[in-house]
PDB file of all heavy atoms in Angstrom:
ATOM      1  N   LEU X 298     134.281  73.918 157.337  1.00  0.00           N
ATOM      2  CA  LEU X 298     133.931  72.544 157.698  1.00  0.00           C
ATOM      3  C   LEU X 298     133.493  71.772 156.446  1.00  0.00           C
ATOM      4  O   LEU X 298     133.918  70.631 156.224  1.00  0.00           O
ATOM      5  CB  LEU X 298     132.790  72.596 158.715  1.00  0.00           C
ATOM      6  CG  LEU X 298     132.469  71.266 159.411  1.00  0.00           C
ATOM      7  CD1 LEU X 298     133.658  70.809 160.247  1.00  0.00           C
ATOM      8  CD2 LEU X 298     131.230  71.413 160.294  1.00  0.00           C
ATOM      9  N   ILE X 299     132.688  72.450 155.639  1.00  0.00           N
ATOM     10  CA  ILE X 299     132.195  71.755 154.438  1.00  0.00           C
ATOM     11  C   ILE X 299     133.327  71.468 153.453  1.00  0.00           C
ATOM     12  O   ILE X 299     133.419  70.386 152.874  1.00  0.00           O
ATOM     13  CB  ILE X 299     131.113  72.596 153.766  1.00  0.00           C
ATOM     14  CG1 ILE X 299     129.822  72.470 154.565  1.00  0.00           C
ATOM     15  CG2 ILE X 299     130.860  72.171 152.334  1.00  0.00           C
ATOM     16  CD1 ILE X 299     128.779  73.459 154.195  1.00  0.00           C
ATOM     17  N   ILE X 300     134.249  72.439 153.305  1.00  0.00           N
ATOM     18  CA  ILE X 300     135.369  72.200 152.398  1.00  0.00           C
ATOM     19  C   ILE X 300     136.195  71.027 152.873  1.00  0.00           C
ATOM     20  O   ILE X 300     136.595  70.156 152.093  1.00  0.00           O
ATOM     21  CB  ILE X 300     136.257  73.477 152.309  1.00  0.00           C
ATOM     22  CG1 ILE X 300     135.538  74.491 151.402  1.00  0.00           C
ATOM     23  CG2 ILE X 300     137.618  73.151 151.777  1.00  0.00           C
ATOM     24  CD1 ILE X 300     136.430  75.587 150.903  1.00  0.00           C
ATOM     25  N   VAL X 301     136.463  70.977 154.180  1.00  0.00           N
ATOM     26  CA  VAL X 301     137.271  69.874 154.703  1.00  0.00           C
ATOM     27  C   VAL X 301     136.551  68.540 154.469  1.00  0.00           C
ATOM     28  O   VAL X 301     137.130  67.579 153.996  1.00  0.00           O
ATOM     29  CB  VAL X 301     137.551  70.092 156.216  1.00  0.00           C
ATOM     30  CG1 VAL X 301     138.149  68.816 156.830  1.00  0.00           C
ATOM     31  CG2 VAL X 301     138.492  71.263 156.391  1.00  0.00           C
ATOM     32  N   ALA X 302     135.223  68.522 154.777  1.00  0.00           N
ATOM     33  CA  ALA X 302     134.473  67.280 154.609  1.00  0.00           C
ATOM     34  C   ALA X 302     134.441  66.826 153.153  1.00  0.00           C
ATOM     35  O   ALA X 302     134.673  65.662 152.860  1.00  0.00           O
ATOM     36  CB  ALA X 302     133.038  67.487 155.119  1.00  0.00           C
ATOM     37  N   SER X 303     134.192  67.772 152.260  1.00  0.00           N
ATOM     38  CA  SER X 303     134.087  67.336 150.872  1.00  0.00           C
ATOM     39  C   SER X 303     135.431  66.973 150.295  1.00  0.00           C
ATOM     40  O   SER X 303     135.533  66.041 149.483  1.00  0.00           O
ATOM     41  CB  SER X 303     133.374  68.414 150.029  1.00  0.00           C
ATOM     42  OG  SER X 303     134.287  69.356 149.569  1.00  0.00           O
ATOM     43  N   SER X 304     136.534  67.643 150.752  1.00  0.00           N
ATOM     44  CA  SER X 304     137.849  67.253 150.281  1.00  0.00           C
ATOM     45  C   SER X 304     138.202  65.862 150.799  1.00  0.00           C
ATOM     46  O   SER X 304     138.790  65.044 150.096  1.00  0.00           O
ATOM     47  CB  SER X 304     138.903  68.247 150.775  1.00  0.00           C
ATOM     48  OG  SER X 304     138.626  69.511 150.211  1.00  0.00           O
ATOM     49  N   LEU X 305     137.833  65.568 152.081  1.00  0.00           N
ATOM     50  CA  LEU X 305     138.102  64.262 152.623  1.00  0.00           C
ATOM     51  C   LEU X 305     137.306  63.192 151.869  1.00  0.00           C
ATOM     52  O   LEU X 305     137.819  62.104 151.556  1.00  0.00           O
ATOM     53  CB  LEU X 305     137.752  64.205 154.120  1.00  0.00           C
ATOM     54  CG  LEU X 305     138.783  64.842 155.054  1.00  0.00           C
ATOM     55  CD1 LEU X 305     138.297  64.760 156.497  1.00  0.00           C
ATOM     56  CD2 LEU X 305     140.142  64.195 154.882  1.00  0.00           C
ATOM     57  N   GLY X 306     136.046  63.524 151.551  1.00  0.00           N
ATOM     58  CA  GLY X 306     135.237  62.585 150.751  1.00  0.00           C
ATOM     59  C   GLY X 306     135.885  62.304 149.420  1.00  0.00           C
ATOM     60  O   GLY X 306     135.987  61.154 148.981  1.00  0.00           O
ATOM     61  N   ALA X 307     136.375  63.373 148.764  1.00  0.00           N
ATOM     62  CA  ALA X 307     137.057  63.210 147.460  1.00  0.00           C
ATOM     63  C   ALA X 307     138.306  62.363 147.614  1.00  0.00           C
ATOM     64  O   ALA X 307     138.575  61.460 146.829  1.00  0.00           O
ATOM     65  CB  ALA X 307     137.413  64.594 146.885  1.00  0.00           C
ATOM     66  N   ALA X 308     139.109  62.661 148.677  1.00  0.00           N
ATOM     67  CA  ALA X 308     140.352  61.918 148.899  1.00  0.00           C
ATOM     68  C   ALA X 308     140.054  60.442 149.142  1.00  0.00           C
ATOM     69  O   ALA X 308     140.777  59.570 148.668  1.00  0.00           O
ATOM     70  CB  ALA X 308     141.108  62.518 150.085  1.00  0.00           C
ATOM     71  N   MET X 309     138.986  60.172 149.886  1.00  0.00           N
ATOM     72  CA  MET X 309     138.635  58.793 150.189  1.00  0.00           C
ATOM     73  C   MET X 309     138.399  57.993 148.909  1.00  0.00           C
ATOM     74  O   MET X 309     138.955  56.912 148.709  1.00  0.00           O
ATOM     75  CB  MET X 309     137.385  58.760 151.065  1.00  0.00           C
ATOM     76  CG  MET X 309     136.991  57.402 151.566  1.00  0.00           C
ATOM     77  SD  MET X 309     135.405  57.503 152.430  1.00  0.00           S
ATOM     78  CE  MET X 309     134.279  57.647 151.078  1.00  0.00           C
ATOM     79  N   ILE X 310     137.594  58.579 147.993  1.00  0.00           N
ATOM     80  CA  ILE X 310     137.314  57.888 146.740  1.00  0.00           C
ATOM     81  C   ILE X 310     138.621  57.728 145.928  1.00  0.00           C
ATOM     82  O   ILE X 310     138.867  56.675 145.336  1.00  0.00           O
ATOM     83  CB  ILE X 310     136.281  58.668 145.901  1.00  0.00           C
ATOM     84  CG1 ILE X 310     134.968  58.785 146.685  1.00  0.00           C
ATOM     85  CG2 ILE X 310     136.055  58.025 144.561  1.00  0.00           C
ATOM     86  CD1 ILE X 310     134.209  57.492 146.829  1.00  0.00           C
ATOM     87  N   MET X 311     139.484  58.769 145.943  1.00  0.00           N
ATOM     88  CA  MET X 311     140.728  58.655 145.171  1.00  0.00           C
ATOM     89  C   MET X 311     141.593  57.537 145.682  1.00  0.00           C
ATOM     90  O   MET X 311     142.197  56.800 144.908  1.00  0.00           O
ATOM     91  CB  MET X 311     141.507  59.981 145.271  1.00  0.00           C
ATOM     92  CG  MET X 311     141.097  60.961 144.216  1.00  0.00           C
ATOM     93  SD  MET X 311     142.336  62.239 143.987  1.00  0.00           S
ATOM     94  CE  MET X 311     143.405  61.518 142.767  1.00  0.00           C
ATOM     95  N   VAL X 312     141.690  57.388 147.028  1.00  0.00           N
ATOM     96  CA  VAL X 312     142.499  56.319 147.580  1.00  0.00           C
ATOM     97  C   VAL X 312     141.925  54.956 147.178  1.00  0.00           C
ATOM     98  O   VAL X 312     142.687  54.058 146.759  1.00  0.00           O
ATOM     99  CB  VAL X 312     142.593  56.457 149.119  1.00  0.00           C
ATOM    100  CG1 VAL X 312     143.220  55.226 149.731  1.00  0.00           C
ATOM    101  CG2 VAL X 312     143.387  57.710 149.488  1.00  0.00           C
ATOM    102  N   VAL X 313     140.586  54.835 147.248  1.00  0.00           N
ATOM    103  CA  VAL X 313     139.971  53.552 146.851  1.00  0.00           C
ATOM    104  C   VAL X 313     140.291  53.242 145.398  1.00  0.00           C
ATOM    105  O   VAL X 313     140.722  52.126 145.052  1.00  0.00           O
ATOM    106  CB  VAL X 313     138.447  53.625 147.041  1.00  0.00           C
ATOM    107  CG1 VAL X 313     137.769  52.422 146.411  1.00  0.00           C
ATOM    108  CG2 VAL X 313     138.093  53.695 148.512  1.00  0.00           C
TER     109      VAL X 313
END
Side-chain angles (χ1 to χ4, degrees):
Chain X
L298 191 65
I299 284 168
I300 283 197
V301 169
S303 86
S304 298
L305 283 179
M309 186 186 76
I310 299 291
M311 272 199 89
V312 170
V313 170

